[in-house]
Amino acid sequence: MSVQILIDRLAQVRKRERTVLLAAGVFRLLLALTALCIGFFLLDWLVIVRLVETAEADRFVRGVVVAVMLGISVYVLWHSLLKEILRELDDDELALRIEARHPDLRGRLISTLQLTRRSDSVILTGSQELIDVLEEDTVLYSKALDFFSIINVETLKKVAQISLGIFAVTVAAAAWKSDFSKIVLKRLLLTEVSYPTKTRIISVSPGGAVPRGNPFTVDVELDRAGLLPETVTLQTRPATGGRIISYPLERDETVADRAVYKGEIERVLEDLDYRPIAYDAKWPQWERVTMLIRPAIKSLRLEYHFPEYTGKGIEVTHAGDIHAINGTVVKIRIDLNKPMKEAIIEERYGSEQFETRSMALTTDGRQANLEMRIEKDGGYRILLNDEKRLTNENPAEYVIDAVDDRAPMVKITFPARDRTVTRFANWPIRFEARDDFGVKQVVLKYSVLSPMDLSGDIESQGAPIFEGTYMEGNIEGPGDKEVEAEFRFDLQKLEDLRIDQHLFYWFEVKDNRQPVPNFGKSRKYEFTVRSAAAVRELLNRDRDDMLERIGSIRWKEVDNKRGVDKVRSDILDEENEKEEEKKDKSDEKKEDE
């Protein structure tokens, strides 16, 4: 049948068009892959490498970009190749496209195909002869027509030229910068590599741990074959993120055969990350410096247990300095900021060396205890060591102020001066005694000396000293802190007392201090023993002197009173004169008016 010629020609058109479309799809895919690789390089080199800080984040961002590239590639592959491979063009669609290209056919090609197809499958009511004539006419007319003109070869040429041109330039650039191309390929495969730079960092001192407040030294070695800067910049940032601080690293001139730069982070106060930058070279990852917390005392507790005789209860303070009376036991308790391996207390008294004692640690190592008996002035400090052998830097030194139990005080308040008396006098002797922690005993003591024995101190002369007790016996027990009392000194009971002798008396007091009490002594006063006539004469003379002084005082009072009266009179006269002057001036003014 002649219609088979048309079907064969349409099959040839279909085959060639598919070949053209598939070729165009291949070139589109090549163009897309080349463009994606170029785009990846530009994005990676200009953005990712410069903005992304950590190696993990760098790989993650590159992974996202590669995933997007794969998605775009699959999209292009589907629409440019797979979709065309799966699509089947039927004869009718090709016929319509040919008739659109050659309008002179006037629908004969599609009509011939459809009528012929229908005549083979159904019984037509029309004339078969007419269909055969149409078929022959269509075949004859279409011989001169180019069915392949419906194939768009220009698109294939343009896509091929563009894709091959860009691909060729890309290959040439990759061959020219083979080191870059290899790095791009590796980074495309998500390998941790960096682009080549003019300055090359060979090594960086690894991170580590450092006690809080200490410096951390960083060494950076550069490739001597590359471009060497005067200084290397060390960037630091908190491990939790935050503002970047830069430190300069200077070249170490002592290392002649290598390009080594040294510097330090001044004070590490928290966990830090750091990396060096030298010209266009940047260390690909951040190194970590971990801050170690030094041992420290969170709280200090001092519990004072005073000597029993003081009568004072337990006192607690959180101040480190110790101020306590001798014999006080101080229980020291410290709470620590972390578990400790060792806690030592160092004590020093005067110019002596420190004496060390270990404090008792609790099972968790977070508390230490020690008892200290206060016996002399000095100082102490506490040294701590944790499991990593870190110590508390510059431990505070505390003062130990050992207060002596002051001796009790006693004084005679009456008569409180020397007296001339007869041997039959009976004098009240009053006294006041006081002590910080109670007066235990007050004793009146006396000694009798002849005039010839007054050349020195009573104790130095070895004169016998006698005593009598305050009230009926000594003050026993803790006693009062202040005592006021009176003792009657009856001289006639001293049978051996003679005229012209001198009786010296004083009080001695004892406090509650244990085991050895403190003693205090009052001032010594003197009774000079005279005859009754001599004492009477002395009293009369004293009386006359007193009367004379009283008279003198009265005359002075009279003179003073006269002087005051005269001053008052002069003031009044002056005021009267002023009033008269004012009156005269007023009268003159009225006459003038």
Side-chain angles (χ1 to χ4, degrees):
M1 296 177 62
S2 57
V3 72
Q4 187 63 37
I5 298 174
L6 296 176
I7 294 173
D8 293 340
R9 292 185 65 185
L10 290 175
Q12 293 175 359
V13 171
R14 182 185 300 109
K15 182 178 180 181
R16 181 174 295 183
E17 185 177 41
R18 173 168 290 182
T19 302
V20 170
L21 290 175
L22 291 178
V26 170
F27 285 120
R28 286 193 182 96
L29 182 60
L30 177 62
L31 177 61
L33 293 176
T34 305
L36 288 173
C37 290
I38 295 173
F40 172 82
F41 166 69
L42 295 176
L43 181 63
D44 186 41
W45 188 50
L46 297 176
V47 179
I48 297 177
V49 171
R50 287 169 169 75
L51 298 183
V52 179
E53 300 294 341
T54 63
E56 294 78 6
D58 176 77
R59 175 178 285 186
F60 174 77
V61 173
R62 283 187 287 132
V64 172
V65 174
V66 170
V68 173
M69 291 173 60
L70 290 176
I72 296 174
S73 300
V74 170
Y75 177 83
V76 174
L77 177 64
W78 168 255
H79 284 277
S80 298
L81 288 176
L82 299 180
K83 194 173 182 180
E84 293 298 331
I85 292 173
L86 297 176
R87 190 178 67 161
E88 287 289 341
L89 295 175
D90 58 12
D91 293 343
D92 291 351
E93 184 178 354
L94 289 175
L96 289 173
R97 289 172 58 191
I98 292 171
E99 287 186 351
R101 185 72 176 176
H102 302 282
D104 294 340
L105 287 173
R106 298 179 180 178
R108 282 181 287 185
L109 180 58
I110 184 65
S111 299
T112 300
L113 293 174
Q114 291 178 349
L115 289 174
T116 303
R117 191 181 308 122
R118 292 184 62 191
S119 65
D120 293 338
S121 58
V122 297
I123 299 175
L124 298 174
T125 56
S127 171
Q128 181 64 40
E129 291 80 5
L130 183 60
I131 294 174
D132 293 337
V133 173
L134 177 61
E135 179 180 344
E136 291 179 359
D137 182 62
T138 301
V139 171
L140 181 63
Y141 187 81
S142 63
K143 284 183 179 180
L145 299 178
D146 183 10
F147 283 8
F148 294 108
S149 62
I150 67 171
I151 300 173
N152 187 4
V153 182
E154 295 299 324
T155 300
L156 173 62
K157 292 179 180 180
K158 291 181 180 180
V159 172
Q161 290 173 356
I162 295 173
S163 62
L164 290 175
I166 294 177
F167 181 74
V169 172
T170 303
V171 171
W176 177 49
K177 291 289 185 179
S178 59
D179 51 350
F180 265 80
S181 60
K182 292 177 182 178
I183 296 299
V184 171
L185 180 59
K186 290 180 180 180
R187 290 182 65 81
L188 190 60
L189 297 175
L190 305 183
T191 306
E192 290 187 10
V193 292
S194 301
Y195 289 105
T197 56
K198 294 181 180 180
T199 301
R200 291 180 291 278
I201 301 175
I202 297 177
S203 65
V204 176
S205 56
V210 62
R212 187 178 190 275
N214 280 20
F216 183 79
T217 302
V218 179
D219 294 349
V220 177
E221 183 177 358
L222 304 184
D223 187 353
R224 293 183 64 189
L227 187 61
L228 299 179
E230 292 184 4
T231 59
V232 172
T233 300
L234 182 69
Q235 290 185 335
T236 66
R237 68 177 185 184
T240 55
R243 185 169 65 93
I244 292 178
I245 300 176
S246 297
Y247 295 92
L249 303 182
E250 303 293 339
R251 185 166 181 176
D252 187 358
E253 301 297 340
T254 61
V255 183
D257 57 339
R258 295 186 301 158
V260 177
Y261 293 76
K262 290 181 176 290
E264 67 178 16
I265 303 171
E266 296 174 354
R267 297 181 66 205
V268 178
L269 300 176
E270 59 183 334
D271 290 349
L272 295 175
D273 293 333
Y274 68 89
R275 69 175 180 188
I277 296 178
Y279 282 153
D280 57 347
K282 179 172 65 175
W283 193 245
Q285 63 188 27
W286 290 87
E287 303 291 339
R288 175 64 54 86
V289 179
T290 303
M291 181 202 65
L292 299 178
I293 299 176
R294 284 189 176 276
I297 297 174
K298 290 176 59 179
S299 64
L300 176 67
R301 184 179 187 271
L302 302 183
E303 189 176 282
Y304 289 81
H305 294 259
F306 298 98
E308 185 177 355
Y309 75 85
T310 64
K312 298 182 67 175
I314 297 174
E315 293 184 5
V316 176
T317 179
H318 296 281
D321 292 336
I322 296 176
H323 181 82
I325 192 169
N326 278 331
T328 301
V329 175
V330 179
K331 294 183 178 180
I332 302 175
R333 189 190 78 187
I334 55 174
D335 294 318
L336 307 167
N337 65 331
K338 58 194 296 191
M340 297 296 161
K341 186 176 181 179
E342 187 179 32
I344 297 174
I345 190 165
E346 291 188 340
E347 304 171 59
R348 182 168 60 186
Y349 300 96
S351 59
E352 301 174 7
Q353 295 293 327
F354 275 109
E355 301 175 2
T356 61
R357 287 194 289 163
S358 294
M359 301 184 71
L361 287 170
T362 55
T363 54
D364 62 357
R366 289 183 172 271
Q367 190 180 98
N369 298 274
L370 181 133
E371 288 189 5
M372 179 186 298
R373 185 177 182 84
I374 306 304
E375 295 177 338
K376 52 185 175 180
D377 292 343
Y380 74 97
R381 63 184 182 183
I382 299 173
L383 305 181
L384 304 173
N385 289 288
D386 65 8
E387 298 295 336
K388 296 182 179 180
R389 307 306 299 175
L390 286 178
T391 62
N392 53 330
E393 195 174 28
N394 300 322
E397 293 196 19
Y398 302 104
V399 174
I400 299 176
D401 185 12
V403 180
D404 290 330
D405 185 357
R406 291 177 295 180
M409 297 177 59
V410 60
K411 70 176 182 178
I412 297 174
T413 58
F414 184 84
R417 65 189 180 95
D418 297 337
R419 294 283 186 176
T420 300
V421 298
T422 68
R423 59 181 301 275
F424 305 103
N426 188 348
W427 278 89
I429 308 297
R430 288 195 291 270
F431 68 88
E432 293 179 357
R434 64 172 60 90
D435 184 75
D436 293 341
F437 304 108
V439 177
K440 185 175 183 179
Q441 186 183 60
V442 180
V443 178
L444 174 66
K445 292 193 173 185
Y446 64 92
S447 181
V448 178
L449 297 179
S450 299
M452 65 182 64
D453 298 328
L454 297 177
S455 58
D457 186 74
I458 296 174
E459 285 83 354
S460 65
Q461 294 183 19
I465 297 176
F466 306 94
E467 69 178 46
T469 56
Y470 157 62
M471 304 181 85
E472 294 181 357
N474 298 341
I475 302 174
E476 303 293 344
D480 297 329
K481 293 183 179 181
E482 295 187 3
V483 175
E484 295 184 13
E486 179 179 297
F487 184 86
R488 303 290 303 184
F489 202 165
D490 190 356
L491 273 62
Q492 65 180 335
K493 291 183 179 181
L494 305 180
E495 297 178 355
D496 297 333
L497 189 63
R498 299 287 182 266
I499 294 174
D500 294 333
Q501 285 185 322
H502 297 266
L503 186 148
F504 293 89
Y505 65 94
W506 67 93
F507 282 100
E508 289 186 1
V509 62
K510 180 171 66 175
D511 66 8
N512 290 296
R513 183 173 178 267
Q514 296 295 333
V516 180
N518 290 317
F519 288 86
K521 185 186 295 186
S522 72
R523 175 182 171 182
K524 295 182 179 67
Y525 290 100
E526 176 185 357
F527 283 147
T528 302
V529 181
R530 295 283 188 264
S531 64
V535 171
R536 190 179 301 110
E537 182 182 354
L538 180 63
L539 291 175
N540 290 333
R541 188 164 57 248
D542 290 342
R543 182 192 59 192
D544 294 340
D545 291 342
M546 180 65 69
L547 291 174
E548 185 177 350
R549 285 198 297 271
I550 292 173
S552 175
I553 292 172
R554 286 180 176 177
W555 280 111
K556 287 182 180 179
E557 288 180 352
V558 171
D559 289 341
N560 291 337
K561 184 175 182 302
R562 289 175 179 173
V564 170
D565 291 342
K566 184 176 185 308
V567 170
R568 287 179 178 176
S569 177
D570 292 341
I571 292 173
L572 290 174
D573 293 340
E574 185 177 352
E575 290 179 353
N576 291 332
E577 290 178 359
K578 290 181 179 179
E579 289 293 332
E580 290 179 359
E581 289 179 0
K582 289 182 180 179
K583 185 176 179 181
D584 293 340
K585 290 181 180 179
S586 176
D587 293 341
E588 291 176 359
K589 185 176 181 181
K590 289 180 180 180
E591 291 177 358
D592 293 339
E593 291 176 353

